[in-house]
Amino acid sequence: MGGRKGEAVPFIAYCMKEKEIGWMSYIDLMKEKARQDLKTIVLPETNDKRTLIAAAHILEERIARIIMIGNEEKILDGAGWLEVDLTGVTIVNPATSEKLDSYVDLLYETRKNKGMTPEKAKEILLSDYLTFGIMMVKANDADGMVAGACHATADTLRPALQILKTAEGTKLVSAFFIVDVPDCEYGYHGTFLFADCGLNQDPTAEELAAIADTSAKSFRNLVGAKPVIAMLSHSTKGSAKHPLVDKVVRAVEIAHEQYSHLTLDGELQTDAALVPHIAKSKAPGSEVAGKANVLVFPNLDCGNIGYKLVQRLGKAEAYGPMLQGIAKPVNDLSRGCSWEDIVGVVALTAVQAQLS
């Protein structure tokens, strides 16, 4: 099947058809896709037991090749204490890595205009495993990285943006969750993309429009279906007047001007975006209302609260925060994640790497 761009969506769309008739969960489909063309993913947080457990399951399920960063003896001792098998893992200790000098040179060249020196580059790479992992991705020694189980989003994002930069044509890096709700009649067979739920605190109207565009691409790549985008608000089509509503209305106008290919509408309340009979009364004639599968939240408060409510009360699987708009796949984790969440995000990162 391979990882060529032209093949990815048909494969995922085929798998989602299997989900529709009840054969596989969304994340199982992504794991199957990841197995078609194994990618190498870095897990730098090797002092966290969830990472060790997740790595063992990833290797056992053949979802990706795994590189772990740190002291080999400590990592294997931790695996032994947890009674997990890391056979097949590659462990890289920055202090003894044969690539250290080349990574120092590459980091220096990448950041010298920002005051980086060779000495400072070496100090960072020896002390910061996340930056070392990013350098592995930069040097094409790995295809992607997943971190954040014990680091803040800024710690994961900063070196990614500084070293990998943004993808060509990207106006804004943002974060999203793939949310898979069991026994759900809404969205794409219960699967949604929520954005931005992890990065941009109060995006402008222009930024909301850009988030909608990149989210549409992510949904198509990772779900294999047509994105139907609702720009969410506490108002539907003028039912409330407030500057917060005005921002979403303007975002819709900008999206229609700059990204006219998108199937997008707003401002919409969540029930109008999802429920067909409510859509008919609140937003008659909308091609999005009652059919949305990509939900763009007006700010980070709404997005973060929204995905966690669905995850905890709706017993949904929520994978992310995934980052979109970076030149190569680097994804964040919630610090409240489980090892199962890490496995899922690694599978999605591997699929992203197939498409990059």
Side-chain angles (χ1 to χ4, degrees), residues 188-231:
Y188 187 69
H189 311 303
T191 301
F192 302 84
L193 186 149
F194 287 14
D196 182 332
C197 300
L199 187 56
N200 294 287
Q201 290 189 319
D202 189 15
T204 64
E206 292 79 5
E207 289 169 339
L208 281 176
I211 289 168
D213 182 49
T214 51
S215 296
K217 295 171 185 174
S218 294
F219 187 82
R220 191 177 293 279
N221 285 339
L222 293 175
V223 179
K226 177 183 176 180
V228 181
I229 307 160
M231 308 295 280

Side-chain angles (χ1 to χ4, degrees), residues 179 181 194 297 301-316 318:
V179 179
V181 185
F194 287 14
F297 293 84
D301 279 341
C302 295
N304 188 273
I305 292 167
Y307 99 77
K308 287 180 178 176
L309 281 172
V310 175
Q311 180 186 32
R312 301 302 178 182
L313 302 184
K315 302 187 186 308

Side-chain angles (χ1 to χ4, degrees), residues 14-15 17-25 28-29:
Y14 171 79
C15 288
K17 187 67 176 177
E18 291 187 340
K19 180 190 174 187
E20 180 183 356
I21 59 179
W23 291 2
M24 300 176 76
S25 70
D28 285 339
L29 302 177

Side-chain angles (χ1 to χ4, degrees), residues 35 54-64 85 87:
R35 294 184 189 106
H57 283 271
I58 292 161
L59 294 167
E60 181 182 5
E61 296 184 55
R62 293 193 71 254
I63 297 167
D85 184 4
T87 300

